[in-house]
Amino acid sequence: MKDENEYLTVLDYLYEKSLILQDTAGFDKVLYFYFIDALAHIDYTAGIYSYNFASPKNIMGGEYLRWRIDEEKKGDRARFPGFVNWLRENHPEKFTSLPSLWQMIYDTEDPASYRSFRIVLDPDSRNPIPADFFYAIIDEFFETEFLKSLYEDASLAALFRDYRSR
């Protein structure tokens, strides 16, 4: 690890983001769950690179992520991974507009996954994920068009309703 921990600046970058201009109560509930969930995985992974594994910050993040394992199985939340793959097959233009972390984690053909709550892009690699990757995925989740698509009456939410009705 470098003397100047580059992942601390990643966390600062994430924490400086704001949803103040959004009405998150109007977001589709499942999409909002997975939005916050992705941010938690980003936070946890960068936190593991930044702080000791047993730091209170990482312990609290791990506790949330343990809770979410059961939560993702409730109701329509369990359908989200299938939805992402359905988009890949039936609406490739919408799939490619998703944040790349969602594409990688939920695409059944991609080896990326959450392992021990960390983002793992290549299961065979022991190298940390480059800090630049985190900046890119954080920006994708806070892109205006993506955030607009999360509202219950917006494009991504409408496609999710369509998927659920099948």
Side-chain angles (χ1 to χ4, degrees), residues 6-7 45 49 118-122 127-134 137:
E6 62 191 331
Y7 297 98
T45 305
Y49 292 152
R118 291 177 300 110
I119 299 167
V120 175
L121 302 179
D122 178 0
N127 297 324
I129 298 170
D132 289 344
F133 171 81
F134 289 99
I137 61 174

Side-chain angles (χ1 to χ4, degrees), residues 88-145:
R88 180 176 40 93
E89 294 171 15
N90 297 289
H91 298 275
E93 72 293 341
K94 195 61 171 174
F95 174 79
T96 58
S97 73
L98 292 176
S100 55
L101 184 62
W102 278 3
Q103 291 176 42
M104 291 182 277
I105 296 296
Y106 298 109
D107 181 347
T108 55
E109 296 178 6
D110 195 303
S113 63
Y114 295 137
R115 297 194 179 183
S116 300
F117 309 127
R118 291 177 300 110
I119 299 167
V120 175
L121 302 179
D122 178 0
D124 296 325
S125 175
R126 298 284 179 226
N127 297 324
I129 298 170
D132 289 344
F133 171 81
F134 289 99
Y135 292 112
I137 61 174
I138 290 167
D139 283 343
E140 290 174 354
F141 279 106
F142 286 92
E143 194 172 88
T144 304
E145 290 306 309

Side-chain angles (χ1 to χ4, degrees), residues 28 39-40 48-49 58 70 83-84 92 97 110-111 116 128 135:
D28 176 274
L39 298 181
I48 291 295
Y49 292 152
N58 289 330
D70 291 330
F83 169 64
V84 172
S97 73
D110 195 303
S116 300
Y135 292 112

Side-chain angles (χ1 to χ4, degrees), residues 34-53:
Y34 280 96
F35 170 74
I36 295 299
D37 186 65
L39 298 181
H41 283 283
I42 292 167
D43 170 77
Y44 187 76
T45 305
I48 291 295
Y49 292 152
S50 300
Y51 300 102
N52 178 297
F53 180 77

Side-chain angles (χ1 to χ4, degrees), residues 21 37 86:
L21 299 177
D37 186 65
W86 177 78

